[in-house]
Amino acid sequence: QIIPWNYPLLMAAWKLAPAICAGCSMVIKPAEQTPLTLLEFARFFEECGLPKGVVNVVTGFGATGAAIVAHGDVDKIAFTGSTATGAEIMRLGSDSIKRLTLELGGKSPNLVFADANLDEVVPAAVWSRTQLLFVCSPGNPTGAVMPLAEWEKLFGLSDRHGFIIASDE
């Protein structure tokens, strides 16, 4: 598992619990920004009596992750992060036909249709967007897609609010 900077403990727990229950060992590579969380988490498993080598934390930058992906003894890679890095993992893993689980970047726009109840949609969209201040997850859209006429009715001139309109279609 190559873990992103956000949710390092939760992401590790999601992957470790089923692996351990299935009798598998696991190598976890945290993001270079958040290695201490998982190093401490791994100590917990040692204190609980889990045999050494079942939970392994390897820290480092992208080259470290690439080495894990390319390693012949690694059967499966799970990665959450950017699309570009996911493509590189696919390329590196293809030599040995590794099983991959990729959750790749991008954000989730709100799709607001012309017949939507704006009194309900706008507060929900604003609330979900402001949650991005606290966490970074797919439920936190970075934009909204809606008919231009509705947008302008709602916000007036959109550029005053820092929004970019790509199309009115």
Side-chain angles (χ1 to χ4, degrees):
Q1 171 72 34
I2 300 174
I3 305 275
W5 62 267
N6 56 344
Y7 301 124
L9 185 59
L10 186 56
M11 294 290 287
W14 281 341
K15 304 298 181 179
L16 273 170
I20 291 170
C21 289
C24 299
S25 60
M26 190 167 187
V27 175
I28 302 174
K29 187 232 169 266
E32 57 269 17
Q33 300 91 341
T34 57
L36 297 179
T37 302
L38 294 186
L39 288 169
E40 188 62 28
F41 191 46
R43 283 184 16 165
F44 166 78
F45 288 103
E46 286 182 28
E47 291 172 9
C48 290
L50 202 64
K52 287 184 182 282
V54 173
V55 176
N56 305 279
V57 178
V58 178
T59 62
F61 290 87
T64 304
I68 292 169
V69 172
H71 197 282
D73 289 336
V74 174
D75 297 323
K76 179 175 179 20
I77 298 291
F79 171 75
T80 302
S82 75
T83 303
T85 302
E88 180 66 8
I89 287 171
M90 286 179 66
R91 189 185 68 71
L92 290 170
S94 68
D95 290 339
S96 58
I97 312 176
K98 289 206 188 317
R99 290 174 293 155
L100 302 174
T101 301
L102 304 173
E103 182 184 343
L104 303 180
K107 297 306 292 170
S108 307
N110 284 313
L111 299 177
V112 182
F113 297 97
D115 62 346
N117 180 338
L118 296 180
D119 291 331
E120 292 179 9
V121 168
V122 172
V126 169
W127 179 85
S128 69
R129 177 64 183 118
T130 58
Q131 297 309 300
L132 187 58
L133 298 173
F134 306 105
V135 296
C136 178
S137 74
N140 303 119
T142 57
V145 177
M146 62 192 307
L148 180 59
E150 296 299 314
W151 189 269
E152 289 181 343
K153 180 170 60 175
L154 205 69
F155 293 107
L157 296 173
S158 60
D159 59 348
R160 287 190 314 179
H161 298 278
F163 296 103
I164 298 171
I165 297 176
S167 172
D168 64 349
E169 302 279 331

